[in-house]
Amino acid sequence: MIFFNQDQQLENIGNQILEATWAEFPTLASNQIALTWVVYDPPAPVNTGGALTPNAFWEHPVRGFSYRGGERIYPASVVKLFYLVVVQEWLEKGMSQTSGELDRALRDMIVDSSNDATSLIVDIISGTTSGPQLSPGPFETWKYQRNIINRYYQSLGWEEMQAVNVCQKTWGDGPYGRERAFYGEMFENRNMVTTDATARLLHSIVGGVTVSSERSQSMMNLLKRSIKPEELSQDGEENQVTGFLGGGLPENSQIWSKAGWTSTVRHDAAYIELPDQRPYLLVVFTEGKEQAKSREILPFVSRRIAEAIANL
């Protein structure tokens, strides 16, 4: 069972927005975009600081729309959201210890999308390190340890997580040594997630039920983005708002998000609050070299969704 109820009204709007997007961007093929959109009707069960118990939260019905939401897509830096949650789980259970370096790396991984910080985080949660290739026996042990992240997501029992593979570091130039071997000859073991799985994970964080309400709140603090132009200009290209979902929002909106982009994908996953409107969650993945370069597609979709929210 997917975590939201398919809704005819949202389906109609979602399909209209997709049609408008294809009309506006003719090079965007129908199989180069995936989208999951969840609307929180009042009383909204999210961003309450975890006022609901996990059971009450998961039983609270929400409605949504998804297009290719179950398709496995390379997530780029959106995977850092998955690693953020595992760190919090490990800290809560005492499997990892908090430290200044861990806090610094967590912040840099989410706020600045640092790959170097992510490398440390993956080492900490899996007990593995990068380095030269290993002989077969030790490499089997290493792979098993690294896959603890996947085992954690499988253990949640969420249908959306069945298709997910989250065990690789994020790279500037690409993996070397044992990391390259772990990717597989044809990169068949690279990270893969879906917009539905990403949406469910973000939904649980915003609901305050990931690990604990305090830890969910600390994750929300890291994901919060400013969309004020004067603050964005300081961060240049890398601000995760301009050219992403935050780029399509009015200035008085609030957004919590994690973007990802490479030369072949451009993605964003966001929880959004517009003044006096229903809050909502939007995850949009786009694929293809042309799309990855486009700083217009994600803001276009985001603007259309924001307009639709005002008319629900």
Side-chain angles (χ1 to χ4, degrees):
M1 271 293 288
I2 197 151
F3 74 97
F4 57 84
N5 300 327
Q6 304 278 359
D7 177 81
Q8 196 58 56
Q9 182 193 26
L10 298 186
E11 184 137 337
N12 294 343
I13 296 169
N15 285 324
Q16 284 164 10
I17 289 170
L18 284 166
E19 293 298 339
T21 306
W22 288 314
E24 183 77 15
F25 304 98
T27 59
L28 178 68
S30 59
N31 66 346
Q32 288 180 314
I33 185 168
L35 179 155
T36 303
W37 176 33
V38 176
V39 173
Y40 299 111
D41 298 306
V46 288
N47 210 3
T48 61
L52 291 179
T53 65
N55 282 354
F57 176 76
W58 289 115
E59 280 165 18
H60 187 99
V62 292
R63 57 191 181 125
F65 163 75
S66 118
Y67 172 75
R68 299 181 70 242
E71 289 292 323
R72 300 176 84 239
I73 295 170
Y74 177 69
S77 289
V78 172
V79 78
K80 294 166 185 173
L81 193 61
F82 289 77
Y83 299 157
L84 172 67
V85 167
V86 177
V87 172
Q88 297 296 341
E89 183 75 49
W90 273 210
L91 289 168
E92 186 72 9
K93 291 200 169 123
M95 289 163 63
S96 291
Q97 303 311 313
T98 187
S99 69
E101 275 304 274
L102 176 60
D103 289 346
R104 185 170 77 96
L106 271 181
R107 186 207 160 277
D108 292 352
M109 175 174 80
I110 299 301
V111 177
D112 303 326
S113 209
S114 161
N115 292 333
D116 292 347
T118 307
S119 177
L120 176 70
I121 295 296
V122 171
D123 286 347
I124 287 172
I125 55 189
S126 65
T128 60
T129 52
S130 305
Q133 282 179 275
L134 293 163
S135 54
F139 190 41
E140 283 310 305
T141 305
W142 186 95
K143 288 192 287 193
Y144 181 78
Q145 279 179 251
R146 179 63 74 80
N147 274 307
I148 193 170
I149 307 168
N150 280 320
R151 290 194 295 279
Y152 168 73
Y153 281 107
Q154 295 302 320
S155 77
L156 297 178
W158 298 352
E159 184 185 309
E160 296 88 351
M161 291 295 170
Q162 296 308 307
V164 159
N165 185 43
V166 285
C167 58
Q168 301 288 358
K169 294 183 173 183
T170 52
W171 302 99
D173 297 329
Y176 291 87
R178 66 190 68 163
E179 298 283 356
R180 178 63 188 89
F182 186 48
Y183 259 75
E185 194 68 29
M186 307 299 296
F187 286 90
E188 60 272 17
N189 191 36
R190 67 187 194 153
N191 289 333
M192 296 296 265
V193 311
T194 68
T195 58
D196 283 352
T198 308
R200 180 155 190 180
L201 190 63
L202 191 52
H203 172 68
S204 70
I205 296 170
V206 183
V209 298
T210 303
V211 187
S212 70
S213 57
E214 294 75 26
R215 293 200 179 276
S216 293
Q217 197 52 57
S218 74
M219 290 188 263
M220 288 286 280
N221 294 342
L222 290 173
L223 293 164
K224 184 84 168 78
R225 311 257 167 220
S226 168
I227 54 178
K228 293 194 173 79
E230 63 275 14
E231 290 181 28
L232 292 178
S233 60
Q234 297 164 9
D235 296 331
E237 289 277 294
E238 307 285 294
N239 62 42
Q240 300 186 65
V241 172
T242 310
F244 296 95
L245 297 176
L249 296 176
E251 250 185 76
N252 53 358
S253 320
Q254 296 198 77
I255 180 169
W256 293 256
S257 68
K258 183 69 200 80
W261 65 99
T262 65
S263 59
T264 56
V265 300
R266 181 176 279 262
H267 307 325
D268 203 2
Y271 165 72
I272 293 163
E273 293 181 353
L274 305 174
D276 308 319
Q277 305 291 350
R278 292 169 166 82
Y280 60 97
L281 194 149
L282 181 61
V283 181
V284 185
F285 286 5
T286 60
E287 296 184 275
K289 284 195 158 64
E290 195 71 22
Q291 286 54 256
K293 286 202 293 263
S294 170
R295 298 167 72 82
E296 280 77 52
I297 298 174
L298 295 181
F300 179 88
V301 173
S302 182
R303 194 174 307 114
R304 290 301 177 99
I305 294 264
E307 287 162 4
I309 283 284
N311 297 318
L312 282 185

